[in-house]
Amino acid sequence: MVVWTDEERASISDIFSKLDYDDVGPKCLSRCLIVYPWTQRYFGAFGNLYNAEAIMNNPLIAKHGTTVLRGLERALKNMDDIKNTYAELSILHSEKLRVDPDNFKLLSDCLTIVIAARMGTAFTPEYQASFQKFLSVVVSALGRQYH
């Protein structure tokens, strides 16, 4: 069981309240696919992923990036039970999609970078610590089925 302080909850909620999902989601997923090209293997049906420009302009990547970011709202709304909140997604990603669970961490790192760039100095070390804790819990929940 994860214990959240009031400050952590407030920081995480504030970060999400400032997000433009249709901007941050696609940029996060695109960054992950470009920086870690082996992650592209899960997106073969998404069309042209031959270079950075193709990835950044791919509407299916953009749509899925937004979907992933919106999916984090479920964790935000269920911070005291993230593990069970993501139980079905964990099964889907492990048993059907067979996604390497390390990719969740890579994506969370890319999300942190994109958010830090957007928020600038407002993304304080305290905000980052809260956000990293939140993402670590989400990554653990998504990887639960693999253990």
Side-chain angles (χ1 to χ4, degrees), residues 24-89:
V24 173
K27 286 184 175 158
C28 166
L29 182 55
S30 293
R31 179 178 288 269
C32 188
L33 296 172
I34 294 164
V35 175
Y36 309 107
W38 59 89
T39 62
Q40 294 174 20
R41 71 183 181 144
Y42 303 104
F43 297 93
F46 280 48
N48 181 3
L49 302 177
Y50 298 122
N51 58 42
E53 183 178 352
I55 292 169
M56 291 186 293
N57 292 312
N58 185 309
L60 296 175
I61 294 297
K63 181 180 177 186
H64 191 65
T66 300
T67 299
V68 168
L69 195 55
R70 290 210 180 277
L72 288 175
E73 285 182 336
R74 290 177 57 205
L76 180 64
K77 293 174 183 172
N78 297 285
M79 286 181 65
D80 293 318
D81 196 19
I82 293 174
K83 185 167 64 170
N84 288 322
T85 299
Y86 282 132
E88 287 181 28
L89 271 179

Side-chain angles (χ1 to χ4, degrees), residues 56-123:
M56 291 186 293
N57 292 312
N58 185 309
L60 296 175
I61 294 297
K63 181 180 177 186
H64 191 65
T66 300
T67 299
V68 168
L69 195 55
R70 290 210 180 277
L72 288 175
E73 285 182 336
R74 290 177 57 205
L76 180 64
K77 293 174 183 172
N78 297 285
M79 286 181 65
D80 293 318
D81 196 19
I82 293 174
K83 185 167 64 170
N84 288 322
T85 299
Y86 282 132
E88 287 181 28
L89 271 179
S90 179
I91 292 168
L92 171 69
H93 283 84
S94 68
E95 295 179 9
K96 182 177 180 190
L97 302 175
R98 302 202 185 280
V99 174
D100 181 338
D102 290 339
N103 292 342
F104 302 133
K105 175 68 172 131
L106 299 176
L107 186 62
S108 74
D109 289 345
C110 289
L111 178 58
T112 301
I113 291 166
V114 172
I115 289 174
R118 293 287 173 272
M119 290 183 67
T121 58
F123 196 66

